Amino acid sequence: MPGLDSALQFQNAANAANAVNAVMIVDDDPMFRMILEQVLRARGVGEVIVAQDGAVASAILDQRHAEIDAITLDLSMPNLDGVEFLRHAKVANYHGRLLLISGEHKTVLASAERLATLSGLDCLGAIAKPVDFNRIAEKLLSAKENEIAGRRAPVDIDRLVSSLKASRLAAYYQPRTNVRNGRICGAEALARIWDEDGTMLDAGEAINLAEKHGRISDITWRIVEIVMDDARRLADSGFGHLALSFNISSSILCNLQFTDQLADMVRLSGLQPTNFILELTENIIPRDPLIILEAMTRLRMAGFKLAIDDFGTGASNIEQLGMFPFTELKIDKGFVLGAANDKFARACVETSVSLARQLDLRVVAEGVEGEAELALARQFGIDEVQGFYFGKPMPFADLIAYAQDDAEQAGGYREQMLAG
């Protein structure tokens, strides 16, 4: 595959930067700080920084925000509380991991978590005190692909264009699993872009920058080419039944030639449109919704499936479900991850499933990272799940191995995982 080999040579360097080397504990309880520091050091964290309140932590962050890979944050503290610290972390442009730990009521914890996420911080979640210190360590140290924390190079348009010209772009695939039988039924293709020094660029920032500077079509068409090539290789390996999905922006759909060009690519590749799912986020209502409606209607007529992605995070989700010919609804991982302990998140999941059923849409739950999320998916009758519990985004070669293992284990452990 053109470009993939040149991109994969940067993978090891990028993954090496993904380790948690420095953690800052922000808590006014000295005993809590002491025990957690001991646990983290025992788990191999190179440096543990402690701060007794948000004011001290803010001063440290101003000096060392690029060095601190993760922060544990209490909410109720003197001088400067944890909620105020979140604002400071946003202003400081902190890109590391953040874990909220507090004895506040669970609704306060949930609100603080939402605030952190809306502020653009990488919040791993919220844990109520009293806590299991080993659980905190697991949360902080669990590797998350494409998360280079504070050491990730900032994305600018020159850096992005250079990476695209040098073909340092690849598609990583996250498996989608059928809840009823536990078998892999497809995968989502996610763009991965590397800088020349091997640093993986932040995908979200890169996509936003590409949209702003009119380069999103470069990324989209390259990913489409890669996905088409990989789909053929899947078919040759006996897995042609697996559906591959990829993201499409509204600006691409505004190109009146896009539908025909995509259909021609599939036809010339000897593939079927029914094997592809185009994912669109809830911000797809553009300046001219008629063009989008025309494009999506023609895509459906051609046989492509259409998914509304990150459902629940936009302002016009119900309106869009009624306007556009979607075939599936993907529930945002923020709601799925929080549904076990957050009444609002749980209600959002339940309502989304109910709405999808009434509209005859297939339902996919993102963010399934453990037994709690999987149990929720079973309880609500969700069709497919996607998340770390079944697989992180992986290179295509690993997806083939995953599918082969799945076929060999038919009737085995994955079905048992879903059987509860």
Side-chain angles (χ1 to χ4, degrees):
M1 181 194 314
L4 179 56
D5 291 338
S6 61
L8 287 180
Q9 64 180 314
F10 297 98
Q11 179 185 351
N12 290 338
N15 286 342
N18 198 30
V20 175
N21 298 311
V23 174
M24 180 163 67
I25 304 171
V26 187
D27 200 293
D28 63 342
D29 183 345
M31 185 62 69
F32 177 91
R33 296 196 304 266
M34 182 186 70
I35 296 176
L36 181 55
E37 179 179 2
Q38 291 176 348
V39 171
L40 292 175
R41 289 189 183 282
R43 297 293 294 270
V45 174
E47 181 180 10
V48 179
I49 307 161
V50 296
Q52 67 267 31
D53 58 44
V56 174
S58 295
I60 295 173
L61 196 65
D62 287 340
Q63 297 295 322
R64 306 187 59 184
H65 72 274
E67 304 171 29
I68 299 173
D69 296 319
I71 296 174
T72 67
L73 178 65
D74 190 14
L75 294 182
S76 181
M77 296 180 293
N79 299 323
L80 190 79
D81 62 41
V83 175
E84 292 177 285
F85 176 80
L86 292 176
R87 186 191 327 125
H88 190 90
K90 176 184 178 182
V91 173
N93 198 28
Y94 177 63
H95 290 300
R97 305 172 190 174
L98 176 72
L99 182 62
L100 304 178
I101 306 171
S102 176
E104 293 290 334
H105 191 274
K106 62 181 180 181
T107 57
V108 175
L109 271 174
S111 294
E113 183 178 353
R114 282 193 290 270
L115 177 62
T117 302
L118 291 172
S119 297
L121 300 172
D122 185 8
C123 186
L124 300 179
I127 300 177
K129 291 182 177 180
V131 298
D132 179 341
F133 289 94
N134 287 315
R135 181 188 174 198
I136 296 174
E138 289 293 340
K139 272 276 190 181
L140 292 177
L141 302 179
S142 59
K144 295 177 70 175
E145 192 276 336
N146 194 31
E147 183 183 335
I148 313 299
R151 305 182 190 280
R152 178 177 297 161
V155 183
D156 58 54
I157 189 60
D158 293 334
R159 191 186 303 273
L160 176 60
V161 171
S162 174
S163 293
L164 295 178
K165 287 182 177 179
S167 297
R168 293 192 296 268
L169 182 149
Y172 271 36
Y173 294 90
Q174 184 167 43
R176 293 166 46 134
T177 302
N178 185 300
V179 175
R180 293 187 178 181
N181 61 22
R183 304 293 304 281
I184 181 175
C185 54
E188 178 181 358
L190 301 164
R192 295 293 182 260
I193 306 171
W194 284 267
D195 196 8
E196 60 182 353
D197 64 357
T199 303
M200 188 181 290
L201 301 182
D202 183 281
E205 291 184 19
I207 295 298
N208 290 336
L209 199 63
E211 287 273 14
K212 180 180 178 181
H213 291 271
R215 304 304 297 257
I216 191 63
S217 62
D218 297 341
I219 296 177
T220 299
W221 282 117
R222 183 67 193 110
I223 289 297
V224 169
E225 291 173 356
I226 293 173
V227 169
M228 295 296 165
D229 190 29
D230 289 344
R232 287 194 300 269
R233 295 165 66 190
L234 271 177
D236 293 342
S237 300
F239 301 108
H241 61 285
L242 299 181
L244 297 183
S245 65
F246 51 91
N247 291 280
I248 296 293
S249 73
S250 60
S251 58
I252 293 292
L253 287 180
C254 285
N255 181 345
L256 295 176
Q257 284 74 48
F258 171 76
T259 300
D260 290 334
Q261 291 172 342
L262 183 62
D264 287 344
M265 285 186 66
V266 173
R267 178 176 53 81
L268 293 174
S269 299
L271 304 169
Q272 295 297 321
T274 51
N275 279 89
F276 299 98
I277 305 169
L278 279 59
E279 299 193 11
L280 301 105
T281 55
E282 290 190 67
N283 61 1
I284 61 170
I285 290 189
R287 295 165 295 279
D288 189 350
L290 291 180
I291 295 178
I292 297 295
L293 182 58
E294 175 186 334
M296 292 180 66
T297 301
R298 296 188 67 233
L299 285 168
R300 287 284 288 114
M301 291 171 60
F304 292 100
K305 300 172 185 176
L306 303 175
I308 183 167
D309 195 16
D310 299 334
F311 187 76
T313 59
S316 305
N317 42 24
I318 295 180
E319 178 185 354
Q320 293 184 50
L321 279 179
M323 178 180 294
F324 300 116
F326 291 107
T327 57
E328 72 176 42
L329 181 154
K330 297 190 75 174
I331 304 175
D332 182 68
K333 64 181 181 181
F335 296 115
V336 176
L337 286 169
N341 301 307
D342 186 334
K343 290 183 180 180
F344 176 77
R346 185 181 183 86
C348 287
V349 173
E350 187 172 11
T351 301
S352 298
V353 174
S354 176
L355 184 59
R357 291 290 173 246
Q358 294 181 56
L359 297 175
D360 197 27
L361 301 178
R362 193 164 182 81
V363 185
V364 182
E366 298 183 290
V368 174
E369 298 188 359
E371 289 286 353
E373 294 82 31
L374 185 56
L376 185 80
R378 285 196 299 259
Q379 178 181 345
F380 288 129
I382 290 172
D383 300 299
E384 298 178 24
V385 292
Q386 183 178 331
F388 290 175
Y389 191 59
F390 288 95
K392 299 176 183 179
M394 60 188 72
F396 178 74
D398 292 347
L399 178 67
I400 288 286
Y402 185 102
Q404 291 172 339
D405 179 63
D406 179 84
E408 294 172 0
Q409 296 290 339
Y413 69 94
R414 291 199 179 106
E415 288 83 343
Q416 295 171 13
M417 289 167 69
L418 287 161

